[in-house]
Amino acid sequence: MLKASREKGVRAEVVRRRSFTWFPMTAAVVFYAIAMALAAFEQDEFAPSLVVAAFTLFFWLMGWNSAIRFTATRLSLTNVLVTSTVAWKDVAGVTADDGLSIRLRDGRILRSIAFGGSLIGAFTKYPTHQRARRILSEAHRDALRDGSGAGPVRLHASLDWRRPLVAAAVLSIPLLVIRAVSG
């Protein structure tokens, strides 16, 4: 799935694997419904609903937050909490042989949890991975029209904490309100 979004004032494209996104998100909705029921009906303890809400956050991190984002000049790959960002000029190529791989000029390889290798994918030749590879390869080709990179590869890895913090607040505040109202 290719989706446009806003990222630091620059239009970024987002590549997500539909099945890897919607299965965990469905699990997150179910777990959150359980957390709300626990918050409303569990009179003695509030911890169980927060534990179940933590599972909701985990499924959201795996399914929705883990994505590949790119602009005309850079590529960012988020796996749960860690985001790796590299300029397109430092990317040597994108392959989808054993899962999606982004090979850098210095030989390092970036892999996405969402587009990882699997036994089923080996038999089916990774159709969703091939689609993502085509999208990323086209963006890479467009970015290299200005020339390829020289010098050391600059890979920036960072802890992506803002989105998960907002998600944790969005998940826990309604639980606290339900708990306060139910008594």
Side-chain angles (χ1 to χ4, degrees):
M1 169 176 7
L2 183 64
K3 179 184 156 194
S5 69
R6 287 294 209 187
E7 200 169 277
K8 294 184 183 175
V10 176
R11 182 180 168 96
E13 302 296 327
V14 180
V15 179
R16 289 187 176 98
R17 187 170 162 205
R18 286 186 183 120
S19 61
F20 194 83
T21 301
W22 293 110
F23 178 72
M25 290 307 296
T26 302
V29 168
V30 169
F31 271 86
Y32 194 62
I34 293 169
M36 291 188 115
L38 285 172
F41 300 115
E42 180 67 37
Q43 298 301 321
D44 299 333
E45 300 264 344
F46 185 57
S49 63
L50 289 179
V51 169
V52 175
F55 279 103
T56 302
L57 181 63
F58 171 75
F59 284 124
W60 176 82
L61 286 169
M62 288 291 294
W64 192 259
N65 196 45
S66 295
I68 301 170
R69 295 170 178 83
F70 64 92
T71 65
T73 59
R74 66 175 173 77
L75 168 85
S76 293
L77 189 138
T78 302
N79 286 322
V80 184
L81 290 174
V82 178
T83 299
S84 300
T85 304
V86 66
W88 276 119
K89 65 181 179 70
D90 291 331
V91 173
V94 181
T95 61
D97 299 329
D98 183 23
L100 188 71
S101 300
I102 299 163
R103 192 172 31 86
L104 304 180
R105 285 187 302 109
D106 63 2
R108 289 184 283 179
I109 294 177
L110 299 177
R111 295 187 185 272
S112 170
I113 289 174
F115 290 97
S118 70
L119 183 59
I120 293 173
F123 287 118
T124 62
K125 305 292 186 208
Y126 297 102
T128 56
H129 296 48
Q130 293 296 341
R131 182 174 181 272
R133 183 197 56 77
R134 281 191 301 275
I135 291 167
L136 294 172
S137 292
E138 183 179 313
H140 182 230
R141 223 178 4 263
D142 292 344
L144 289 183
R145 287 188 182 144
D146 297 333
S148 61
V153 173
R154 299 181 68 169
L155 176 64
H156 176 71
S158 61
L159 182 65
D160 184 15
W161 59 272
R162 288 181 181 96
R163 276 189 298 247
L165 183 64
V166 169
V170 167
L171 290 172
S172 58
I173 289 172
L175 294 176
L176 292 170
V177 170
I178 289 172
R179 181 67 179 175
V181 170
S182 67

